[in-house]
Amino acid sequence: MIFPKNYDIIRTEIIKRWGVTERSLSVVVKTKGKRVMKKSIKETVREAIEPTVTELGYRIWDVTYSKIGADYHLEITIDNDEGIGISDCEKVHRAIDPILDECDPIEGFYYLEVSSPGAERDIRTDEHIEACKGEKIEAKLFTAKNGIKSVVGELIGLVDGKVVIGTQEGKITLERSEISKMNTLYVEQ
């Protein structure tokens, strides 16, 4: 693992204390034998590969770990100001593969995928919202609000932790918990 020298991975203690399996989606780290903190696979992977990805001239848009069918997939989504092509994904894949092999954040077999966020990129985090301000987006809601299940408009940003979208009818403010999925929309220039 890529951690300061005073950190130890304590998988056996994880299993004993919390009854989780080796395929658990988190890594537990012990600091100087005193405090235990949980790190998700997403956080662990991001910390391990971000310096290399940045050095190559890219930024990490997202890290996801999911089960698709019977297989596990670790997807690293990269971005930069010039856009991302297949050669960019291949370059990053070749650079991070040995890092992930060494830090081994995931027990068992998984597929490593490196991709671009695409023209209609998912917006999941506060950083994504900040990066997509002024863009046309769609926010799909878990349940209809005033008879509306989907809001399309210009992303204004976050105000007091709520997502604000400018529509033809005016500004709409949504709680993050109301939004099931939010993404940019491709607009032909």
Side-chain angles (χ1 to χ4, degrees):
M1 293 299 282
I2 301 174
F3 289 109
K5 291 180 182 178
N6 62 338
Y7 284 72
D8 293 319
I9 300 299
I10 50 169
R11 285 197 168 106
T12 54
E13 196 168 319
I14 296 168
I15 293 168
K16 287 178 189 173
R17 284 190 182 178
W18 291 290
V20 297
T21 65
E22 286 289 329
R23 189 171 283 292
S24 174
L25 295 182
S26 61
V27 176
V28 174
V29 179
K30 191 172 187 179
T31 309
K32 296 180 184 178
K34 294 179 182 176
R35 191 176 354 152
V36 175
M37 53 188 211
K38 272 182 130 176
K39 288 192 168 206
S40 69
I41 285 176
K42 178 179 174 174
E43 292 168 330
T44 303
V45 167
R46 188 178 201 114
E47 283 179 13
I49 67 172
E50 196 154 34
T52 301
V53 172
T54 302
E55 187 177 301
L56 291 171
Y58 306 99
R59 61 186 167 269
I60 296 174
W61 180 261
D62 209 357
V63 176
T64 58
Y65 180 65
S66 58
K67 186 173 183 182
I68 301 172
D71 301 317
Y72 288 89
H73 293 257
L74 176 63
E75 184 177 357
I76 312 300
T77 308
I78 59 171
D79 198 14
N80 70 14
D81 295 335
E82 290 79 45
I84 300 297
I86 292 173
S87 61
D88 299 306
C89 295
E90 182 181 2
K91 184 190 326 182
V92 171
H93 189 288
R94 289 178 192 270
I96 67 172
D97 194 32
I99 295 168
L100 293 172
D101 284 346
E102 185 174 320
C103 77
D104 198 21
I106 302 169
E107 290 292 323
F109 180 80
Y110 64 93
Y111 290 98
L112 173 61
E113 302 170 14
V114 177
S115 65
S116 78
E120 294 194 347
R121 59 189 59 204
D122 288 338
I123 303 170
R124 295 191 224 289
T125 66
D126 291 351
E127 292 81 17
H128 293 167
I129 292 170
E130 186 64 32
C132 294
K133 274 184 182 178
E135 293 192 38
K136 186 173 184 180
I137 65 145
E138 177 180 25
K140 294 180 181 177
L141 308 178
F142 284 109
T143 58
K145 183 176 181 177
N146 300 326
I148 299 171
K149 185 82 167 141
S150 174
V151 178
V152 175
E154 179 185 334
L155 180 58
I156 294 171
L158 278 177
V159 177
D160 298 327
K162 298 176 184 176
V163 177
V164 181
I165 303 169
T167 68
Q168 291 178 344
E169 293 79 30
K171 291 182 182 178
I172 295 180
T173 303
L174 300 169
E175 296 283 347
R176 295 289 291 271
S177 61
E178 295 176 298
I179 302 170
S180 65
K181 180 177 169 52
M182 188 165 47
N183 59 277
T184 59
L185 294 177
Y186 175 72
V187 179
E188 280 194 51
Q189 303 292 341

